[in-house]
Amino acid sequence: MHHWGPAPLEEVAELFSGFGRPWWVAGGMAIELAVGRAFREHGDVDVVVLRCDHVAVLDVLRGWELWAADPPGTLRPWLAGELPQHVHDVWCRPGPDAPWRLQVMIDESDGDWWVSRRDPAVRRPLSDVVKHGVVPYLASEVQLYYKSRSPRAKDEQDFAAVREHLTDEQRAWLRQVLGPGHHWT
């Protein structure tokens, strides 16, 4: 039930081409888009939408199996309607025998501001959070913020690859939200 076959970014872009709302790629693929090259394998592909828009994913992925990940790790079918506030991840595959193709992550917002689900005091204008390239992707400093809590080996690899690409402003924001003592600051 947990076999992954991550969708290529071209497929993700095609699937979300008619979404009509903000969406972006996150995770290690967002870091690779920021640095302009692939440097590691990926077990999945993360697509982020805002909570205020998440129900529209049902139309974008019509005919797919969508499974809400209820913390702490229970999957249940998502067939209709809004997901509870505590649900931030939806696993998606084209059918019951297909591998999971993408993970839709649900982020919070307040008007034109992205709001961290970990700490509502951590905010950024959406225009700073979403970068535009081949596909829209999460700004590196925000991705590192997500990866910073308990960095795994792949997170350290992502940090090493992107740190030289961060602007002074991105570095300052990351230092502010991570606080003193984090080894990435």
Side-chain angles (χ1 to χ4, degrees), residues 117-119 144-151 178 182 184:
R117 63 180 177 252
R118 288 185 189 162
D119 178 355
L144 291 173
Y145 164 72
Y146 277 126
K147 290 175 167 280
S148 69
R149 183 181 288 176
S150 299
L178 295 185
H182 194 286
W184 286 356

Side-chain angles (χ1 to χ4, degrees), residues 1-71:
M1 177 150 179
H2 298 309
H3 174 69
W4 280 86
L9 291 180
E10 298 79 19
E11 181 181 335
V12 174
E14 177 64 28
L15 286 167
F16 281 83
S17 64
F19 189 55
R21 295 163 173 84
W23 68 274
W24 55 91
V25 171
M29 287 189 182
I31 297 292
E32 289 183 349
L33 288 165
V35 301
R37 65 182 174 82
F39 55 85
R40 70 172 177 85
E41 294 293 317
H42 299 278
D44 65 1
V45 59
D46 302 323
V47 175
V48 182
V49 300
L50 298 174
R51 182 159 307 276
C52 59
D53 301 325
H54 81 277
V55 173
V57 170
L58 291 164
D59 290 330
V60 168
L61 299 176
R62 185 177 307 283
W64 282 49
E65 283 195 358
L66 307 178
W67 292 69
D70 281 322

Side-chain angles (χ1 to χ4, degrees), residues 96-147:
D97 297 323
W100 300 105
R101 299 292 287 160
L102 56 99
Q103 179 176 348
V104 173
M105 303 173 81
I106 303 168
D107 261 0
E108 307 303 328
S109 63
D110 181 8
D112 292 335
W113 288 78
W114 165 85
V115 178
S116 167
R117 63 180 177 252
R118 288 185 189 162
D119 178 355
V122 175
R123 302 167 162 254
R124 281 219 24 103
L126 277 170
S127 59
D128 291 346
V129 168
V130 182
K131 303 299 180 184
H132 297 280
V134 177
V135 295
Y137 62 94
L138 183 60
S140 299
E141 71 275 18
V142 179
Q143 186 60 67
L144 291 173
Y145 164 72
Y146 277 126
K147 290 175 167 280

